[in-house]
C-alpha cells in the first residue's frame, strides 16, 4: 500500500512539473517581443499595401526603415525587389550605385541570410513595373542624371522585365543595346555588370562530334570507267569538330560490276561479275557558312582506294585476289552542304549547336592506280546524301 501511494505522489509531482514547464513556455511565447523576422515580414506587407494604394512616399519611408535594420543575418529585400522599389521612388543615384557594386559575392552573401517570407511583393512589383515601363523610362530620361547613368538604368530595367516579354528575340535586342552602351562608354564603371548580367550570349563549345549514315553514287573516269560500272555506296562517317575545323573520318563501300573479262591464273573473271570499292578517307574541312538552317564546309584530304571482287567470291576462289586493284593513295577534295532539322527561326543569343541534319556531299578523288596497274588510270567523283546527328554543347561568351 505504501509503495502504491509513493508512486502516485511521484506521478502527480512529475505531471505538475510538466504542466508547469508548458505554462512557462507558453508565457514566454506570449510575452516574446517582436522578432526581427516578424518586423521585416510586417514591414514588407505594409510596403506592399502602400504600393498597391499608390502611396509612393510611404513606400520610400518603409523601404528606408527596412534597409536600415537589415544586417548580416536578415535579408529585407531580394535584389530585384529593391531595384524595382528604387525605380518607383525615383532613387536613381542609390540604384546606380547598387548596380555598380553588384557582383557574385553579393548574391552569395544574400543566400546565407534569413530570407523574407513569400508575400507576393516581387510579383506585384514586377507586374506593375511592366505595366508602367514606358512612364518609368520617361521619368529616367527627364531626371537630372548624366547620359551614362540614364542608359544603364534603362538597360537594367529592360533586363529585369525580360521574362515578361512574349518575344523570343527580346534577349537579342537587349544584347545589341548592351553592345552599343559599352561602345558608347568604353571606360564605363558599369562594364562588368553589363557584360555579366545584362548581355547574355551563348556560342557553341569548341569541341563537337557528329555521326552520319550515308549512301549515294560514285562515278569513275578514264580507264576505270571502261572496266567498271559506277558504284552505289553505303557508309558511315564520324566527324571531330574543333571551332570551325572539322575532321571527317569516313568509310565508303561501293558496289558495282565489271565491264570486261579479266584473266587470272585459274581462269577468267567474267564481265558482269560483282565487285566493290572500299574507300576509307580522312579529310579536313573548314566551315565557311553556318546559321540555324545551313552549314557549308569545303574540305580536302587523303584516302585509300581498293577495287576488288566481293569478299564472298574471294572466299570461294582466293586466286581472284590477282584481279584486285589493291589500296593505293587517293587525294580528294570537295564540299559538304548540311541542312539542319529543327526550328529555323531561333534567337541569335542561343544558336543551334546540337541537331540532326541531312548532308549532301560532293568529292573528287584522284587515284594512283596507273602507277601500279597498266591501263587503270582514272579517278572518281562521288555524291552522297547522309542522315546524321551533331552533338555540341553551348557556353556563355563575354
Amino acid at each position: 500500500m505504501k509503495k502504491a501511494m509513493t508512486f502516485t505522489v511521484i506521478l502527480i509531482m512529475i505531471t505538475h512539473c510538466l504542466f508547469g514547464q508548458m505554462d512557462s513556455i507558453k508565457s514566454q511565447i506570449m510575452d516574446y517581443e517582436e522578432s526581427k523576422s516578424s518586423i521585416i515580414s510586417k514591414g514588407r506587407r505594409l510596403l506592399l499595401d502602400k504600393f498597391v494604394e499608390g502611396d509612393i512616399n510611404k513606400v520610400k519611408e518603409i523601404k528606408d526603415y527596412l534597409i536600415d535594420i537589415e544586417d548580416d543575418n536578415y535579408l529585407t529585400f531580394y535584389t530585384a525587389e529593391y531595384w524595382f522599389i528604387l525605380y518607383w521612388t525615383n532613387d536613381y543615384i542609390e540604384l546606380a550605385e547598387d548596380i555598380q557594386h553588384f557582383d557574385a559575392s553579393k548574391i552569395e552573401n544574400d543566400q546565407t541570410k534569413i530570407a523574407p517570407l513569400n508575400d507576393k511583393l516581387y510579383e506585384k512589383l514586377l507586374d506593375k513595373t511592366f505595366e508602367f515601363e514606358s512612364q518609368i523610362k520617361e521619368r529616367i530620361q527627364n531626371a537630372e542624371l548624366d547620359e551614362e547613368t540614364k542608359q544603364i538604368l534603362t538597360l537594367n530595367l529592360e533586363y529585369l522585365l525580360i521574362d515578361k516579354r512574349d518575344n523570343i528575340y527580346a534577349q537579342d535586342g537587349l544584347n545589341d543595346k548592351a553592345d552599343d552602351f559599352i561602345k558608347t562608354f568604353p571606360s564605363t564603371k558599369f562594364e562588368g555588370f553589363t557584360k555579366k548580367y545584362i548581355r547574355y550570349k551563348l556560342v557553341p563549345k569548341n569541341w563537337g562530334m557528329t555521326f552520319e549514315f550515308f549512301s549515294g553514287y560514285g562515278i569513275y573516269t578514264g580507264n576505270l570507267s571502261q572496266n567498271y560500272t559506277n558504284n552505289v555506296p553505303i557508309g558511315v562517317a564520324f566527324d571531330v569538330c574543333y571551332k570551325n575545323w572539322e575532321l571527317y573520318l569516313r568509310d565508303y563501300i561501293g558496289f558495282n560490276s565489271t565491264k570486261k573479262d579479266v584473266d587470272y591464273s585459274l581462269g577468267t573473271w567474267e564481265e558482269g561479275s560483282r565487285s566493290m570499292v572500299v574507300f576509307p578517307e580522312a579529310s579536313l574541312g573548314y566551315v565557311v557558312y553556318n546559321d540555324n538552317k545551313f552549314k557549308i564546309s569545303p574540305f580536302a584530304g587523303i584516302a585509300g582506294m581498293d577495287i576488288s571482287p566481293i569478299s564472298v567470291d574471294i572466299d570461294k576462289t582466293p586466286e581472284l585476289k590477282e584481279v584486285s586493284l589493291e589500296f593505293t593513295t587517293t587525294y580528294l577534295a570537295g564540299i559538304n552542304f548540311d541542312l539542319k532539322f529543327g526550328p529555323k527561326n531561333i534567337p541569335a543569343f542561343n544558336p543551334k549547336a546540337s541537331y540532326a541534319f541531312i548532308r549532301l556531299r560532293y568529292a573528287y578523288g584522284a587515284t594512283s592506280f596507273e602507277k601500279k596497274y597498266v591501263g587503270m588510270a582514272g579517278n572518281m567523283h562521288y555524291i552522297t546524301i547522309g542522315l546524321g546527328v551533331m552533338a555540341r554543347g553551348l557556353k556563355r561568351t563575354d
Side-chain angles (χ1 to χ4, degrees):
M1 177 65 88
K2 288 183 179 181
K3 291 183 178 180
M5 290 181 64
T6 302
F7 177 75
T8 302
V9 171
I10 293 174
L11 181 61
I12 292 172
M13 291 177 64
I14 293 173
T15 304
H16 178 74
C17 291
L18 289 173
F19 278 108
Q21 289 179 0
M22 291 178 65
D23 288 340
S24 175
I25 293 173
K26 179 180 179 181
S27 297
Q28 291 179 45
I29 293 174
M30 296 300 292
D31 297 337
Y32 186 62
E33 296 181 358
E34 290 282 4
S35 67
K36 182 164 286 190
S37 292
S38 179
I39 293 172
I40 291 173
S41 179
K42 289 182 177 181
R44 285 170 59 91
R45 293 202 303 270
L46 179 60
L47 186 148
L48 177 57
D49 289 341
K50 295 303 178 182
F51 178 73
V52 172
E53 294 171 7
D55 190 349
I56 301 302
N57 290 331
K58 186 60 67 175
V59 168
K60 178 177 172 62
E61 292 178 12
I62 300 169
K63 178 266 296 182
D64 290 340
Y65 173 78
L66 291 177
I67 288 296
D68 189 55
I69 67 171
E70 183 174 288
D71 58 25
D72 292 336
N73 297 312
Y74 291 90
L75 183 69
T76 56
F77 297 112
Y78 294 105
T79 298
E81 295 173 336
Y82 179 51
W83 287 354
F84 279 138
I85 292 170
L86 295 180
Y87 277 112
W88 282 95
T89 59
N90 301 330
D91 290 319
Y92 299 132
I93 300 301
E94 181 179 348
L95 175 57
E97 290 178 352
D98 202 64
I99 290 172
Q100 180 184 348
H101 297 102
F102 183 81
D103 56 20
S105 63
K106 172 69 166 56
I107 299 175
E108 294 175 1
N109 186 45
D110 285 351
Q111 290 175 344
T112 64
K113 296 182 179 182
I114 300 172
L117 298 176
N118 184 13
D119 50 19
K120 301 299 181 181
L121 176 60
Y122 170 76
E123 289 82 355
K124 186 59 67 174
L125 287 168
L126 174 63
D127 292 342
K128 206 70 173 178
T129 304
F130 184 68
E131 180 182 354
F132 289 90
E133 179 184 5
S134 59
Q135 292 91 324
I136 294 173
K137 287 182 177 179
E138 185 177 353
R139 289 204 301 269
I140 293 172
Q141 294 305 312
N142 293 333
E144 294 183 359
L145 302 168
D146 59 82
E147 188 60 29
E148 179 184 355
T149 303
K150 289 180 180 180
Q151 288 197 28
I152 193 61
L153 294 183
T154 301
L155 273 176
N156 186 60
L157 181 62
E158 294 188 12
Y159 160 67
L160 292 174
L161 298 176
I162 194 165
D163 290 337
K164 292 287 289 183
R165 306 188 193 284
D166 186 21
N167 183 355
I168 62 173
Y169 302 104
Q171 186 64 55
D172 288 343
L174 189 57
N175 288 342
D176 291 340
K177 292 178 182 179
D179 290 339
D180 290 341
F181 175 75
I182 294 173
K183 183 177 180 180
T184 303
F185 305 100
S187 58
T188 178
K189 54 184 176 290
F190 302 107
E191 179 180 3
F193 177 82
T194 302
K195 289 183 176 181
K196 191 169 185 179
Y197 297 102
I198 294 180
R199 190 174 67 182
Y200 185 77
K201 296 181 180 181
L202 298 174
V203 296
K205 290 184 177 180
N206 289 340
W207 291 96
M209 60 183 63
T210 74
F211 178 81
E212 177 196 359
F213 178 80
F214 63 85
S215 185
Y217 197 66
I219 302 173
Y220 297 117
T221 67
N223 290 341
L224 290 179
S225 67
Q226 298 172 15
N227 286 273
Y228 302 97
T229 63
N230 295 327
N231 64 81
V232 175
I234 59 172
V236 294
F238 179 75
D239 307 343
V240 179
C241 310
Y242 179 74
K243 296 184 178 180
N244 284 329
W245 292 98
E246 297 183 334
L247 174 64
Y248 308 112
L249 304 173
R250 297 169 63 86
D251 191 9
Y252 177 115
I253 300 176
F255 298 92
N256 49 229
S257 59
T258 60
K259 287 184 174 182
K260 295 180 179 181
D261 292 342
V262 180
D263 294 331
Y264 69 105
S265 60
L266 294 183
T268 301
W269 190 33
E270 295 180 352
E271 176 186 350
S273 297
R274 293 176 297 173
S275 65
M276 66 180 185
V277 54
V278 179
F279 190 60
E281 67 173 82
S283 54
L284 187 64
Y286 188 82
V287 179
V288 295
Y289 181 83
N290 192 15
D291 63 15
N292 291 319
K293 299 179 182 179
F294 308 111
K295 184 175 74 172
I296 300 175
S297 313
F299 62 87
I302 192 170
M305 183 179 287
D306 178 287
I307 305 176
S308 301
I310 62 173
S311 56
V312 174
D313 291 344
I314 291 179
D315 290 339
K316 293 179 180 179
T317 310
E319 287 78 8
L320 277 175
K321 288 184 178 180
E322 298 172 13
V323 299
S324 297
L325 304 184
E326 296 183 343
F327 280 110
T328 60
T329 301
T330 301
Y331 299 99
L332 72 154
I335 191 166
N336 287 329
F337 179 85
D338 293 358
L339 173 63
K340 302 179 182 180
F341 291 147
K344 301 297 187 294
N345 300 317
I346 62 176
F349 84 92
N350 188 22
K352 188 186 297 183
S354 295
Y355 50 85
F357 62 86
I358 291 177
R359 172 173 293 168
L360 184 65
R361 178 182 176 96
Y362 164 77
Y364 175 75
T367 74
S368 303
F369 286 131
E370 72 276 8
K371 295 181 180 180
K372 295 176 61 176
Y373 305 100
V374 177
M376 288 297 175
N379 301 307
M380 184 176 77
H381 301 269
Y382 74 70
I383 296 176
T384 60
I385 183 167
L387 180 63
V389 178
M390 161 67 83
R392 198 170 202 164
L394 292 170
K395 63 180 181 178
R396 188 171 179 182
T397 184
D398 290 336

